[in-house]
Each structure stands twice: as structure tokens, then as C-alpha cells.
Amino acid sequence: MSIATVQLLLDKTKDFSIEETLAFLANEYPNQVVFSTSFGQEDQVITDLIGKNQLPITVFTLDTGRLFQETYNVFHKTLKKYKTEIKTYFPDTTAVEALLNQKGPNSFYESVENRKECCFIRKVAPLTKALQGNAIWITGLRAEQSENRSDLNFFEYDAHFDIIKFNPLLKWTLKEVEEYLEKNNVPQNSLHKQGFVSIGCAPCTRAILPGEDIRAGRWSWESSHKECGLHQK
């Protein structure tokens, strides 16, 4: 996969709807198209599009071991509604045990480096395993989510994972996402009604206040770019 392939896909799908693009990718790269969901609002839109159109796209999630119970609840409701498998990837047990034995359960509060170490073990390493051997990685990224995502394209080459990312909701607003979910009766995380916009691990996520940036609720004790390593933007 390469940057040239990205341009080719942009050209071929420029007049396609999201559903048409998803179907095209599934046909063009059989058994090599995957979608990563954390059961957030954007991801639930994409899950609905894949599920109701019965597209042959593998849906997977990363269970870090520190998710909210509310996230597991929407996971379960999603399985029931769409009756499709959601592959689950866990962090390596030995790596988690070593981290806790050496630094304790809350080392991520102590420094950005420690937090990124925890994110790598619990999220990035399992994601690397999930993406291996695939050609297209579908994400729920939106340009509105953060300043460093504002210059993304619908298709991007991710050099770190050597894969092409498709960001179908890139130009959607949060309002459009919420309206879609309500209109189509898509399962949602109940925490969204409590001010949680971006939901990750329980210790690292809080509700945001009116007027705060969408990503303010993630790693709120940091002044970093608020990324965990799954996406470089």
C-alpha cells in the first residue's frame, strides 16, 4: 500500500456515498478491510452502516481492561442489534502484569511518558496485531474533533501501521452524528448524556464542561496533544 494508492482511491470514490465507498472497498480488498470501534458515537454510525448493509467488513474493538461498564453495555446492545461478530483484542497479559508490578495501577497519572507507555501496552500493541495483514483501516475520525485532525483526508496512508485509513465521517459535525444515531435508533453509550463526548478508559476520561474542547475530557491532567498513539493525528 502506498500514497499513490491513496490518490487512486480518492479519485475512484469521489462521487460515492459512504455506503457505496464501504461496499467498494469491501469488494476491492476482500477480507482485508477492518473497522476499529470503541463504541463512541462516530463508531456507532459506521457500525450501523456496515451492519444494516451486511457488508463483509471485519469489525473489531480493543478491550484495554479499564473500560467503563457503560461501554460494555453498549457493546452488548450492539451485538444484539446487528447480530454480527465484533472481534475483541486484549493487551498482552505479561506486559500488563509487568507494568503493574513495576509501577502500580495508576502510573499514567505521573507523567506523559508513563501514560503513553500504558496506552502502548493496552491499545497500540493490540491494534498492531488487529491491523496486521489488512489493507484498509476504517476509522471514526472527524476533522472537528481536534486541531491536529483538521487537515486529514478521507483516505490517508498510515506509515506507522503501513495501512490505508478511510475516515468516512471526516466532514461530519457532532450534531450530524447525533441526529443520525437518533433517527436510526442506534445504541449509544449512556455516558454521552452525562457530558462525555470522547470516551476511552475510565481513569483517563471525564465529562467536558460547556465550551470546552471535545478532547478536553481525555487525559485532562495533561497539556499534551491528547493522543494515545492509535492515530498520529
Side-chain angles (χ1 to χ4, degrees):
M1 307 305 288
S2 67
I3 296 175
T5 307
V6 167
Q7 189 57 54
L8 183 65
L9 289 172
L10 286 168
D11 292 341
K12 284 189 173 183
T13 63
K14 63 181 179 180
D15 297 320
F16 288 2
S17 66
I18 293 177
E19 291 95 329
E20 289 170 337
T21 303
L22 290 171
F24 168 80
L25 293 172
N27 182 69
E28 194 80 359
Y29 301 96
N31 303 313
Q32 288 186 293
V33 182
V34 294
F35 165 53
S36 57
T37 179
S38 61
F39 305 101
Q41 290 171 301
E42 294 84 4
D43 291 342
Q44 289 300 92
V45 170
I46 298 171
T47 296
D48 185 70
L49 292 171
I50 292 172
K52 70 184 182 184
N53 290 293
Q54 298 184 313
L55 298 173
I57 292 171
T58 299
V59 180
F60 74 87
T61 192
L62 309 176
D63 188 338
T64 65
R66 303 206 66 165
L67 302 178
F68 288 96
Q69 179 58 42
E70 289 86 348
T71 300
Y72 291 113
N73 292 345
V74 74
F75 184 169
H76 189 72
K77 290 177 182 177
T78 302
L79 288 172
K80 292 290 186 181
K81 180 176 177 67
Y82 301 104
K83 297 178 173 58
T84 186
E85 179 186 24
I86 298 177
K87 295 186 67 173
T88 305
Y89 291 86
F90 290 91
D92 178 73
T93 303
T94 302
V96 174
E97 288 176 350
L99 176 65
L100 267 66
N101 287 335
Q102 293 167 15
K103 297 185 177 182
N106 292 327
S107 61
F108 45 83
Y109 289 128
E110 296 171 357
S111 69
V112 174
E113 291 72 26
N114 277 357
R115 195 269 294 167
K116 288 185 176 181
E117 177 185 28
C118 186
C119 285
F120 180 84
I121 291 170
R122 295 182 182 275
K123 300 169 78 172
V124 180
L127 176 66
T128 302
K129 181 180 178 181
L131 295 179
Q132 192 170 17
N134 291 294
I136 305 291
W137 172 21
I138 302 166
T139 84
L141 296 179
R142 291 188 300 108
E144 188 185 66
Q145 288 170 330
S146 66
E147 183 178 344
N148 56 320
R149 293 180 180 180
S150 61
D151 61 346
L152 288 173
N153 252 316
F154 284 105
F155 286 97
E156 297 270 344
Y157 174 65
D158 189 312
H160 180 74
F161 293 108
D162 188 26
I163 198 168
I164 290 175
K165 292 162 72 170
F166 174 45
N167 311 307
L169 304 186
L170 185 65
K171 302 301 183 182
W172 284 39
T173 64
L174 179 58
K175 182 180 179 182
E176 288 175 312
V177 170
E178 291 173 337
E179 287 176 348
Y180 180 97
L181 295 171
E182 291 296 331
K183 179 181 178 181
N184 293 277
N185 194 31
V186 180
Q188 293 189 57
N189 194 318
S190 61
L191 290 174
H192 293 308
K193 302 292 186 182
Q194 301 173 40
F196 289 78
V197 181
S198 176
I199 302 173
C201 292
C204 300
T205 308
R206 68 161 172 82
I208 65 172
L209 301 174
E212 278 193 306
D213 182 82
I214 288 174
R215 299 286 287 179
R218 302 295 292 274
W219 311 294
S220 57
W221 62 91
E222 290 184 10
S223 58
S224 68
H225 289 301
K226 304 297 184 74
E227 298 288 356
C228 61
L230 298 185
H231 304 286
Q232 300 306 307
K233 290 187 176 183

